[in-house]
Amino acid sequence: MFGFVGVIVIWALALLFLSIKVLPEYQRGVVLTLGRYTGTKGPGLVVLVPVVQRMIRVDLRVTVMDVPPQDVISRDNVSVRVNAVVYFRVVEPDKAILQVADFFQATSQLAQTRLRSVLGQHELDDILSQRDSINHSLQQILDEATDPWGIKVSNVEIKDVDLNETMVRAIARQAEAERERRAKVIHADGELQAAEKLRDAAGLLAQQPQALQLRYMQTMSDMANSGKTSTIMFPLPLDLLKPLLERKSDD
């Protein structure tokens, strides 16, 4: 008699142990009663009906998923290899379990296909220089696609863009040519500004002949102080030569 009661007690304790579940704050339990969805439980203590009810745990924390490197052909027909990382979390546990077989695998495959599709619509220069806008576009596309699964995609980041050696050398030549172009433009702009300043200075000197004589004297002083030289230069006023030139023209 005691043995039979002992077996009953053991079975009761086992069923009680199986019926009591404890869920941490970051988990929820999707409860199925005889195969039908009957609610979402947690966090804390959850009591289930043994055999009749089954609970599937779902983690609500942000999940970091590494997207494998993808071979992408850009809009300007350049082959690149790109990988990315996706940050997402489950916001509706019931949809994540009932609407898709494996939400992690489904999100991973969707991220790979969308990555190739979106980058194929951009040129190489845009992929290299406009990552923020491309990341934002990818995040919106993935978030809309995974919304029926109860998943919220919070961020997408393109990590690496690998180019072959030929393309790297071509980009280097392009950058060098761009730097040379800018240097020539800056030099030409400097020449233009110098010419404008000389024109303004000549206009001012033409208004006062005495200023031109003073400028001659300043130039002589600079040449004398520049180093050892035996050459002496002095300005000859044109006013002294003007009568001679006029007399020669009359003859």
Side-chain angles (χ1 to χ4, degrees), residues 114-127:
R114 291 296 189 270
L115 180 64
R116 292 193 298 268
S117 176
V118 172
L119 294 183
Q121 301 174 7
H122 293 77
E123 295 184 356
L124 178 61
D125 292 341
D126 296 337
I127 297 175

Side-chain angles (χ1 to χ4, degrees), residues 42-55:
L45 183 65
V46 178
V47 179
L48 302 175
V49 179
V51 182
V52 176
Q53 290 183 325
R54 183 170 68 95
M55 185 181 70

Side-chain angles (χ1 to χ4, degrees), residues 127-159:
I127 297 175
L128 296 176
S129 61
Q130 299 181 8
R131 289 195 183 184
D132 291 339
S133 61
I134 295 177
N135 291 338
H136 183 66
S137 177
L138 281 170
Q139 183 268 328
Q140 288 184 329
I141 293 174
L142 289 177
D143 191 31
E144 292 177 359
T146 58
D147 184 67
W149 304 338
I151 294 174
K152 172 65 177 178
V153 178
S154 58
N155 195 13
V156 178
E157 293 287 343
I158 297 176
K159 293 198 300 184

